[in-house]
Amino acid sequence: MYGWQTPPIETTPPAVSTAGQEAIDLAAKAGLYLDPWQQHILRVAMGEKPNGDWAAPEVCVNVPRQNGKGGVIEARVLWGLFIGGEQGILVSAHEFKTTMNTMKRIERLIRGCPDMHKRVKAYHKTVGREGIELHDGRMLQYVARSRGSGRGFTAALVIFDECMILGDDAMGALAPTTDAVDNCQLWYLGSAGIGHPSQQLGRLRRRALAALASDEPDPVLAYMEWSIDAHLDECPPGCTEHDELGSVESLLKSNPAVGYRLQVEKSMHRRLTMGDALYARERLGVGEYPADGTDTWQVIGEDAWRALADADSKPDGPVVFSIDMTPERSHAAIAVAGPWRGGTHLEVIEHRPGTGWILDRAEQLHTRWKPRIWVVDAGGPAGSLIADLQERLGIEVVSPKAREVAAACGQLYDAVTEQTVSHLDQAPLAAALAGAQQRPLGDAWAWARRGVNTDISPLVAATLAKWGLGAPVDEDVDPLDNIF
């Protein structure tokens, strides 16, 4: 059995020719033999207009991990260096070690091909100057991804690996490096979106889906995605319009490397290891993509929240734990709040798929930290845990009334405005804030999800934990000054 060699989701501008076959042949000369699906990407992405310019100045490849997107990157870079004559190539990834692995593979391919190796002047490995320089002065450079990386460079090709973690800071630094170059390309390669960190990938995907819906290709974007169309919460029993999570057909649809470097049985066993939610994302390409930037951070502004991040923040007194989960029980979170330098420290202790882990983890935390109280909203999705939690911990869980839930949301909002709260800038909490909105609760408001793909359980748990610091209970706990 082999995976789908063409993607379930594909849109590209029209082209009259392609340089993709040149890249495929050159890679083979260097000993890199590409799978049919990898060859398909190159032929589509390197399509040309009648004047020879790229039909798609932007290319996005969204495919689950371990399928072999690195081979596509290597073939594209080799073509740019040795056939295309591109003046400047930049390769970046979220983690610089990923970029370094790409560098090693490309160097190995070049050194193994005498015709290519003789054109290389130097393989630079000095920290901050990693890359390959040809005798004609053209450069391939590897750059770390940050707010300032890439500034001062000029490139005809920029490759964003691991683009499921690619935000505005890195885009602002790297994308403009091509603005002064004729016939340039930006390549984005990654796996399914993981929420707020997938800002740019979400934009690209929305453009592609809009193009498919209108039957009009995006004028500059070639987009290819291997993924399944997963069932929704509202799907009736026996729904046949969506793909089954546990079927072999779903695995083949979303993993083109099955039959080449991925095995059916081993890949499907990962569902047992990771659970349904992670298996769907990491192996079947079911991603979570943030809404457009104009529709995020509706309640608390991103700048205001980020300004309160403090790597040294920790509770220096009695703490409160709180638990919340999504309505569909797909994810849950445990948060902690404690006093810190005259304000409040907030932290997400755990944020995991499913709910089976909660009681064991709560017992560990309770035994170790002896919190002031545990807070769970009896009217929320986590309310079903209260009886078991009380029995396991031997305590009475505090459950806020509706007006107290509203007060808790207002207290957090005011604390951000007055800058009396600190946090560790954790992704789950930031993603929840980015995707949260307000719902009316009497004369006040409470947190609500903007869409079904938004998980605000870390935010709700943190909000209730902060409220618990002022809840009226017996104070018999010695102060703690430990870091979580």
Side-chain angles (χ1 to χ4, degrees):
M1 288 185 288
Y2 290 90
W4 288 28
Q5 297 304 290
T6 56
I9 300 176
E10 177 177 308
T11 180
T12 185
V16 299
S17 61
T18 179
Q21 191 60 48
E22 292 179 342
I24 295 165
D25 294 340
L26 182 65
K29 184 177 180 180
L32 175 60
Y33 301 97
L34 300 172
D35 301 341
W37 70 276
Q38 295 170 316
Q39 297 181 30
H40 175 79
I41 290 173
L42 290 166
R43 292 191 182 101
V44 170
M46 299 177 73
E48 298 166 318
K49 298 178 182 178
N51 65 357
D53 285 351
W54 299 122
E58 293 182 90
V59 176
C60 182
V61 179
N62 186 343
V63 62
R65 296 163 58 186
Q66 301 299 313
N67 272 274
K69 62 180 173 58
V72 178
I73 294 174
E74 293 150 24
R76 178 63 181 86
V77 168
L78 291 177
W79 183 91
L81 279 175
F82 298 105
I83 294 180
E86 290 176 315
Q87 298 294 320
I89 299 174
L90 297 180
V91 177
S92 77
H94 172 62
E95 293 192 9
F96 195 54
K97 64 181 181 181
T98 303
T99 309
M100 290 296 92
N101 288 335
T102 302
M103 179 184 76
K104 292 175 183 177
R105 292 196 300 268
I106 292 175
E107 180 178 338
R108 185 165 57 248
L109 290 169
I110 294 174
R111 288 185 182 275
C113 182
D115 287 344
M116 296 183 192
H117 179 60
K118 68 183 182 182
R119 295 176 61 183
V120 174
K121 178 179 179 180
Y123 298 94
H124 296 294
K125 299 181 181 179
T126 304
V127 175
R129 193 171 173 247
E130 297 89 348
I132 297 174
E133 181 180 4
L134 302 189
H135 285 292
D136 63 8
R138 289 183 298 111
M139 290 280 294
L140 162 65
Q141 293 172 287
Y142 305 94
V143 295
R145 203 130 78 206
S146 68
R147 182 187 297 268
S149 65
R151 295 187 183 275
F153 290 97
T154 299
L157 171 65
V158 178
I159 294 178
F160 299 93
D161 197 4
E162 297 179 332
C163 73
M164 63 284 188
I165 307 176
L166 177 59
D168 290 343
D169 285 348
M171 282 300 300
L174 286 166
T177 60
T178 64
D179 288 353
V181 179
D182 293 332
N183 197 31
C184 56
Q185 272 195 322
L186 300 176
W187 278 61
Y188 309 87
L189 300 100
S191 54
I194 59 174
H196 179 67
S198 306
Q199 288 176 308
Q200 180 62 14
L201 181 57
R203 293 189 188 106
L204 295 166
R205 191 174 193 269
R206 284 192 297 275
R207 287 168 54 188
L209 295 179
L212 290 170
S214 66
D215 203 26
E216 290 287 339
D218 187 286
V220 296
L221 173 66
Y223 184 92
M224 288 161 274
E225 176 181 317
W226 278 264
S227 64
I228 67 167
D229 187 8
H231 284 291
L232 305 175
D233 291 339
E234 56 267 28
C235 285
C239 173
T240 59
E241 296 182 10
H242 299 88
D243 298 313
E244 294 293 338
L245 201 66
S247 70
V248 174
E249 290 78 8
S250 291
L251 182 72
L252 299 179
K253 182 178 181 179
S254 52
N255 291 273
V258 169
Y260 295 97
R261 62 188 58 81
L262 292 178
Q263 302 171 6
V264 171
E265 186 175 12
K266 184 177 181 180
S267 296
M268 295 188 73
H269 283 170
R270 283 291 170 260
R271 185 182 179 189
L272 302 176
T273 305
M274 298 188 292
D276 286 354
L278 284 179
Y279 176 75
R281 186 181 75 191
E282 303 298 339
R283 185 48 61 214
L284 303 183
V286 181
E288 296 181 13
Y289 301 92
D292 184 67
T294 59
D295 196 32
T296 60
W297 298 89
Q298 292 183 359
V299 183
I300 292 175
E302 182 177 8
D303 290 343
W305 179 253
R306 303 283 187 190
L308 299 173
D310 183 350
D312 296 325
S313 181
K314 62 179 180 180
D316 59 6
V319 298
V320 172
F321 288 110
S322 180
I323 302 172
D324 191 60
M325 66 175 65
T326 59
E328 61 275 13
R329 308 177 76 83
S330 62
H331 290 75
I334 300 177
V336 67
W340 166 244
R341 294 183 177 175
T344 303
H345 166 86
L346 291 181
E347 183 176 347
V348 178
I349 299 298
E350 294 286 353
H351 179 232
R352 301 191 209 168
T355 61
W357 56 271
I358 298 175
L359 293 178
D360 289 340
R361 185 63 173 126
E363 186 174 17
Q364 293 172 359
L365 292 169
H366 188 78
T367 300
R368 184 175 182 185
W369 304 112
K370 298 179 176 59
R372 181 174 185 262
I373 55 171
W374 283 82
V375 180
V376 179
D377 181 3
S384 59
L385 296 173
I386 291 178
D388 290 337
L389 189 64
Q390 291 182 150
E391 182 179 356
R392 179 74 74 92
L393 304 184
I395 54 126
E396 182 175 352
V397 173
V398 175
S399 181
K401 297 179 175 62
R403 65 176 182 276
E404 292 171 324
V405 171
C409 296
Q411 288 170 12
L412 179 59
Y413 183 92
D414 292 342
V416 173
T417 302
E418 297 165 6
Q419 298 184 325
T420 58
V421 67
S422 61
H423 58 87
L424 302 179
D425 201 18
Q426 296 169 295
L429 197 48
L433 274 164
Q437 60 183 13
Q438 297 171 326
R439 63 178 172 89
L441 195 61
D443 294 331
W445 57 271
W447 297 115
R449 301 192 298 173
R450 190 180 56 249
V452 295
N453 288 329
T454 302
D455 176 5
I456 63 170
S457 61
L459 173 60
V460 174
T463 301
L464 295 180
K466 183 184 184 305
W467 171 84
L469 290 173
V473 295
D474 292 335
E475 299 284 4
D476 295 326
V477 181
D478 293 331
L480 301 173
D481 56 357
N482 301 82
I483 301 175
F484 289 84

